[in-house]
Amino acid sequence: MQKVLRCTDNLNPNAWRKIYKTCLFDNIYFPKGKIYEDLATIPLLIDRVDKVAFCDRVDYFYTIRNNSITNSKLNASSMQIFGIIDDLQTHFKDRKDIIKALNYHAILVIIGFVLRFDTIDDDIFATLKRVLKSKALSVLIDTKVEIRHRVIAFVMVAFGIKTYKFLRRCYRLIK
């Protein structure tokens, strides 16, 4: 499960590329009307199994539209991901390893948002800062977290998200 939430060893909380037995879906459903429904569902399914099988063939294609998630701006709906992470932490409250992995996943999401979007609305920015502060300590002391992500989390907490964005831009100019 940690590998899924940490997105390692070709595992990730996305539904595609995995092969499922239908009996796994007893009382587990993809939530309707929410984005990031894979993250809300796949960890629950993977927790029920001893093995995960993959299909090497890629038969999954996105339809890219102007209003698709991949083309959308960072908005209030995007923040649903942190509610899903909190729900999973409640579900797995007795599993410290999974809680740590979920904290790491939240930090990876924040890093992704910060790198992907040039402008971030003040309310969204406040949410990112709040989540960062609540999850960062767990990530900073977790030796299983990649060092670069620990450094990024440290810089964002110690000096701010905007400083990290500025330093990242400077680094890319120098590089």
Side-chain angles (χ1 to χ4, degrees):
M1 174 71 76
Q2 286 185 50
K3 290 180 178 183
V4 170
L5 296 169
R6 293 173 189 268
C7 301
T8 60
D9 297 340
N10 292 319
L11 285 167
N12 57 52
N14 301 330
W16 77 285
R17 220 182 123 210
K18 296 169 188 74
I19 301 167
Y20 303 90
K21 288 184 177 182
T22 54
C23 64
L24 291 175
F25 287 90
D26 290 344
N27 297 317
I28 294 179
Y29 307 94
F30 288 95
K32 290 183 180 180
K34 288 195 175 191
I35 57 176
Y36 309 111
E37 66 278 357
D38 291 3
L39 179 61
T41 308
I42 301 306
L44 302 176
L45 295 174
I46 289 179
D47 193 49
R48 291 183 169 191
V49 301
D50 295 322
K51 291 188 231 177
V52 177
F54 292 93
C55 178
D56 287 333
R57 192 169 147 184
V58 178
D59 283 337
Y60 188 83
F61 302 98
Y62 282 103
T63 300
I64 305 296
R65 299 178 310 277
N66 288 340
N67 63 346
S68 67
I69 292 173
T70 55
N71 281 331
S72 66
K73 296 184 188 243
L74 192 58
N75 57 36
S77 294
S78 306
M79 299 300 101
Q80 287 179 17
I81 194 164
F82 300 117
I84 290 169
I85 289 170
D86 289 344
D87 290 347
L88 287 169
Q89 287 185 315
T90 300
H91 179 83
F92 293 110
K93 65 181 176 284
D94 298 327
R95 308 263 307 270
K96 292 183 193 277
D97 58 330
I98 295 176
I99 299 295
K100 283 182 183 180
L102 284 162
N103 286 335
Y104 183 28
H105 194 80
I107 296 297
L108 290 175
V109 168
I110 293 168
I111 293 169
F113 285 165
V114 167
L115 295 178
R116 183 170 166 215
F117 299 102
D118 290 331
T119 57
I120 299 175
D121 174 90
D122 288 342
D123 291 338
I124 304 287
F125 194 76
T127 300
L128 295 180
K129 282 175 43 176
R130 180 184 50 75
V131 173
L132 176 65
K133 286 182 180 180
S134 71
K135 310 290 186 192
L137 181 60
S138 169
V139 170
L140 292 171
I141 63 174
D142 186 350
T143 57
K144 293 180 182 176
V145 170
E146 286 186 42
I147 189 70
R148 67 186 172 117
H149 294 141
R150 289 166 53 195
V151 168
I152 292 168
F154 173 77
V155 168
M156 286 196 294
V157 169
F159 303 104
I161 294 172
K162 290 179 182 176
T163 301
Y164 169 70
K165 284 185 77 137
F166 173 76
L167 292 172
R168 172 98 174 149
R169 269 189 247 127
C170 290
Y171 172 76
R172 296 187 108 197
L173 287 173
I174 295 168
K175 189 177 163 188

